[in-house]
Amino acid sequence: MLVHAITPNTTYEFATDVRAGLTKPFQKELPSKYLYDDVGSALFEVISHLPEYGLTRADERLLRRNSHDITERLAGPVAVAELGSGSGRKTRHILEALCRRQHTRYYPIEISRSALILCERELGDIDSISILGFEREYLDGLLEVAAQRRNGQDLLVLFLGSTIGNFDRPAGIQFLTEVRRILQPGDSLLLGTDLEKPGVQLLAAYDDELGVTAAFNLNLLARINRQLNANFDLAQFKHEARINHVDRSVEMHLRSTCRQIVSIPAAELSIEFEESETIWTESSHKYSTEEILVMARSAGFRCEAQWIDREWPFAENLLIAE
Ligand SMILES: C[S@@+](CC[C@H](N)C(=O)[O-])C[C@H]1O[C@@H](n2cnc3c(N)ncnc32)[C@H](O)[C@@H]1O
C-alpha cells in the first residue's frame, strides 16, 4: 500500500491547538482527533473488544449480515473511500462483497499512521483489491480520492463506528454537507450511527472496568508530554465519563485531582488547573433513527435503506447523494 503522508508541520499545529484549547475561558478542551497517535490507536482497538463497548460489535454484525444487500444497492463500478478507517476490520465484509463482483480500489483516510498500517495488514489479503491509504484529515483525504475517480465510477464513502457522533449535531450536519459537496449525484455514504440507550449502559461503555478507556483518554496528556515536552503528572488527572442529557451525548473529561500548574514549552504555555477542573476531550452523540433521516436530507442525501441492530441499538444508513 502506498501511503500519502502528511507533510505540513504537524507538531506546530498540535501545539497551536493545545494552546487554543487549554486557554478557553470557561471549559478547557482538547480536540478528540489527538487521542489517536500510535498508542491511542492501539488502545482504541482494545476498547473495541471490551465487553462493555458493544458499539463496534453491533456495527460489525450489521455489516456482516447485510453486506450483500448493501452492495447490491450500488449499481455501477464503485471505488471505496473510508473516513477514519481505524484497523478496517469491519470493512472486510463490504470489501469482500464488492470484490466478488469487481476489482475494487479502497482508499482508507486516517490521521493515524499506525491505524493505516494496521488497516493494510488487515485487508491486504482480499482478492481483487488495491489499497491506497491517505494520511490526511477526512475532507482533505476525500478531495484527493475524488480527484482519482475514473470515468463512470461511483464512490462509496464509509463513515463507520459512529465517528460522526464526535461532532456536535450542527457540526455533524455541516460535515455531511461538506462530504456531499465533494461527491457527485448517485455516489453513496454508508454512515454508522449509535442510537440512544440507557445512561448506565453508556457510562459503562465509556468508563470500562479494566480502565482501558481511562488509559486511552489519559494518553492524550502523555502524548502532549512526549511531543510537546510538557510535564503533565498523569497520576494527578482522572478519567471521567458523563452523560450530557441536553446534547444527548457521552462526554469524556480529564479531571485534575488537585490545584496544579503544568508547563508545555512547545506550546509556549504554562497553565493552571484548579482542583476538580476538567479538560473536555471527546463527545459521542447518540441518535434516534428518525433524526438520521432528517440530518441526511439537510446535507443533500436521501436515505436508501437503514439496518438496525436490536442487541446494541445501532443503525447502518445507506445514503445516496442527490
Ligand atoms: C472512533 S475511531 C473509529 C475507527 C473505525 N472506523 C471503527 O469504526 O472502529 C475514529 C478513527 O478516525 C480517525 N480520525 C479521527 N479524527 C480524524 C480526522 N480529523 N481525520 C482523519 N481521521 C481521523 C482516528 O485516527 C480513528 O482511527
Side-chain angles (χ1 to χ4, degrees):
M1 173 174 72
L2 281 169
V3 173
H4 289 251
I6 295 176
T7 38
N9 186 346
T10 47
T11 302
Y12 175 77
E13 229 176 85
F14 184 33
T16 307
D17 288 348
V18 166
R19 187 185 169 83
L22 293 184
T23 52
K24 286 209 164 161
F26 301 112
Q27 170 68 66
K28 293 181 169 65
E29 281 179 41
L30 289 169
S32 64
K33 65 180 179 182
Y34 292 118
L35 290 163
Y36 298 92
D37 63 349
D38 291 0
V39 178
S41 289
L43 287 169
F44 181 76
E45 265 307 290
V46 180
I47 290 172
S48 72
H49 291 280
L50 291 174
E52 294 97 328
Y53 195 78
L55 191 156
T56 307
R57 281 185 295 282
D59 200 2
E60 204 266 341
R61 267 193 301 277
L62 288 169
L63 295 171
R64 175 163 37 84
R65 290 178 186 160
N66 301 296
S67 59
H68 182 72
D69 189 7
I70 294 169
T71 53
E72 279 294 295
R73 289 167 188 269
L74 312 171
V78 176
V80 181
E82 178 159 14
L83 308 176
S85 63
S87 72
R89 190 158 31 96
K90 293 170 288 173
T91 310
R92 168 175 292 274
H93 302 292
I94 296 292
L95 293 175
E96 283 185 340
L98 274 175
C99 286
R100 275 195 285 275
R101 75 169 202 218
Q102 57 158 84
H103 179 92
T104 304
R105 287 171 178 267
Y106 170 58
Y107 305 98
I109 298 164
E110 256 297 338
I111 38 163
S112 164
R113 171 168 278 242
S114 65
L116 271 185
I117 291 168
L118 190 60
C119 184
E120 187 212 9
R121 229 186 286 145
E122 186 72 34
L123 301 171
D125 67 333
I126 299 177
D127 280 342
S128 282
I129 196 166
S130 31
I131 304 180
L132 178 62
F134 286 89
E135 192 184 348
R136 289 277 191 281
E137 296 254 355
Y138 302 128
L139 296 175
D140 293 344
L142 190 56
L143 274 168
E144 293 197 40
V145 170
Q148 308 223 353
R149 168 203 286 272
R150 297 179 175 187
N151 264 349
Q153 190 176 52
D154 288 332
L155 256 188
L156 165 64
V157 178
L158 307 176
F159 198 25
L160 305 176
S162 204
T163 308
I164 181 77
N166 294 155
F167 295 98
D168 65 28
R169 285 169 212 278
I173 294 177
Q174 180 59 33
F175 180 76
L176 294 180
T177 306
E178 282 165 30
V179 169
R180 168 64 192 88
R181 226 173 264 146
I182 298 172
L183 300 182
Q184 293 178 0
D187 287 340
S188 40
L189 168 65
L190 187 65
L191 180 69
T193 45
D194 201 23
L195 300 178
E196 290 171 284
K197 47 186 67 62
V200 277
Q201 202 177 357
L202 288 175
L203 284 177
Y206 291 86
D207 192 4
D208 62 278
E209 207 179 3
L210 202 54
V212 185
T213 314
F216 173 67
N217 200 6
L218 281 162
N219 175 57
L220 183 42
L221 304 185
R223 178 181 185 178
I224 298 174
N225 285 350
R226 286 191 295 270
Q227 284 184 238
L228 305 180
N229 301 320
N231 64 350
F232 277 104
D233 178 353
L234 269 53
Q236 310 283 16
F237 286 87
K238 254 183 85 63
H239 166 69
E240 187 174 299
R242 49 167 108 140
I243 305 286
N244 182 327
H245 293 284
V246 176
D247 288 351
R248 290 181 289 135
S249 66
V250 188
E251 293 180 0
M252 293 205 315
H253 289 254
L254 290 163
R255 182 176 293 282
S256 172
T257 57
C258 60
R259 189 158 180 273
Q260 55 184 316
I261 294 176
V262 175
S263 138
I264 313 175
E268 294 175 354
L269 188 66
S270 180
I271 187 89
E272 186 170 339
F273 291 88
E274 297 300 333
E275 181 178 346
S276 263
E277 187 177 5
T278 71
I279 312 172
W280 179 16
T281 53
E282 190 191 67
S283 285
S284 298
H285 291 79
K286 305 300 168 187
Y287 303 93
S288 70
T289 47
E290 303 73 28
E291 116 179 82
I292 300 161
L293 308 185
V294 176
M295 279 168 64
R297 258 199 308 279
S298 356
F301 292 95
R302 75 175 164 79
C303 186
E304 159 76 16
Q306 197 173 56
W307 296 266
I308 313 281
D309 191 79
R310 303 281 169 209
E311 202 176 313
W312 175 280
F314 189 97
E316 213 73 75
N317 311 277
L318 183 61
L319 311 180
I320 309 292
E322 293 201 303

